[in-house]
Amino acid sequence: MELDPKGVDHEFNFWKGFVKSERFKDWVGNYPTPELNQLVRWLISGFLDKQRLSLLGEDTFYVLDVGSGPVSILNGLDSRLRITTADPLSHLYQQIFDYDTAGISPPLQMGAENVTTESYFDLVHISNALDHSFDPVAGLKNLVDQVTPETGHLIVQGFVDEAVHERYQGFHQHNLSLSENGRTLNLGSKEGKAVVQRSFSAENLGCEFVSRSVISMSQPNSSAGVAPSRMRWTWRPVPKVIRRAP
């Protein structure tokens, strides 16, 4: 699928400025960035501890971070993480960031809807990017397929109804929100002048609900100058044939 040129320009212009900022230095350092949601840090630490105590006894935890931007926000979190990143604008990021000097591999040039690998991952993570997808439903279904069944997890972060807060600029064409029990994702997509509402559940995707959180933001995080709530939910795929990451 072809990306909207206006959306590409809007997103790339953001990252061109961000890679020059002091904030971005924390993303490429060999330590956890303060910008990573504390609940996500705790969740991943818990997954790592559980794996270490399991019969598998593996010290390596394979992670796929989709819609990562130039560098994963999970970079530097834990030496046991083996992070593969994916972002459809990878070719543009390589024009503004020196991956060789940083010792970091550029993202695979793939989005949520079409990312595919030869392996399953212990964790698939997508932060503030599912609503950027051409088709968030197809994207989420595809991400579920990348997770190791039964033992792996999918973590999705974002902002509630961000397209409204961003005034439908750039890739912000979809509003996402969670049901009270976290088991259903509500999607409002702009089609012409109308916003079409859809809902789908963890069970519809062959998943089990694990946890959710919705946190009110005290500072604006959008061009509209309004503070949307940050949401995070975690699902776990039900068992199927397992293949391992290399």
Side-chain angles (χ1 to χ4, degrees):
M1 63 194 69
E2 186 174 347
L3 296 174
D4 175 26
K6 291 184 179 179
V8 171
D9 288 344
H10 185 270
E11 192 73 10
F12 186 46
N13 285 333
F14 165 79
W15 286 112
K16 279 196 293 187
F18 189 76
V19 297
K20 300 175 183 177
S21 69
E22 290 297 315
R23 290 169 56 196
F24 187 68
K25 292 180 180 179
D26 287 328
W27 287 44
V28 298
N30 192 27
Y31 52 86
T33 171
E35 292 199 38
L36 179 61
N37 184 291
Q38 186 65 48
L39 289 172
V40 173
R41 291 180 64 173
W42 291 340
L43 278 169
I44 295 177
S45 294
F47 297 156
L48 287 165
D49 291 342
K50 183 177 181 180
Q51 177 175 277
R52 188 176 66 249
L53 295 173
S54 72
L55 293 177
L56 294 175
E58 294 188 29
D59 290 329
T60 303
F61 197 78
Y62 297 97
V63 178
L64 175 64
D65 191 9
V66 181
S68 60
V71 176
S72 174
I73 197 172
L74 304 178
N75 184 58
L77 178 58
D78 192 291
S79 61
R80 291 170 290 177
L81 299 182
R82 296 292 180 270
I83 302 172
T84 298
T85 54
D87 193 296
L89 303 188
S90 177
H91 62 299
L92 297 177
Y93 301 150
Q94 293 175 60
Q95 298 175 17
I96 59 174
F97 181 67
D98 188 344
Y99 287 95
D100 290 336
T101 298
I104 297 173
S105 298
L108 302 173
Q109 192 171 330
M110 301 176 182
E113 302 95 332
N114 60 6
V115 63
T116 182
T117 69
E118 296 297 322
S119 310
Y120 281 132
F121 289 83
D122 300 302
L123 172 67
V124 173
H125 172 266
I126 183 168
S127 178
N128 201 27
L130 184 62
D131 63 305
H132 296 187
S133 303
F134 181 80
D135 185 342
V137 176
L140 193 57
K141 289 180 178 179
N142 186 47
L143 295 184
V144 170
D145 286 340
Q146 312 307 314
V147 182
T148 301
E150 192 171 10
T151 59
H153 291 81
L154 169 66
I155 295 179
V156 179
Q157 297 191 76
F159 293 97
V160 175
D161 294 340
E162 190 175 17
V164 170
H165 292 286
E166 292 289 349
R167 299 169 179 164
Y168 295 94
Q169 297 182 83
F171 287 153
H172 300 286
Q173 300 300 310
H174 306 283
N175 293 301
L176 302 177
S177 63
L178 289 173
S179 64
E180 285 298 320
N181 62 14
R183 288 173 166 78
T184 302
L185 177 70
N186 303 311
L187 171 67
S189 301
K190 192 172 184 181
E191 299 182 8
K193 295 184 178 180
V195 176
V196 178
Q197 300 290 340
R198 289 179 287 170
S199 296
F200 56 101
S201 66
E203 290 76 12
N204 293 150
L205 299 175
C207 293
E208 299 169 348
F209 169 77
V210 177
S211 63
R212 72 181 285 276
S213 67
V214 178
I215 303 172
S216 296
M217 304 291 289
S218 59
Q219 297 295 326
N221 196 71
S222 70
S223 60
V226 180
S229 297
R230 174 177 283 280
M231 64 180 183
R232 185 272 314 158
W233 78 91
T234 307
W235 289 346
R236 176 177 55 233
V238 295
K240 54 187 175 184
V241 178
I242 296 177
R243 62 185 189 272
R244 295 297 303 168

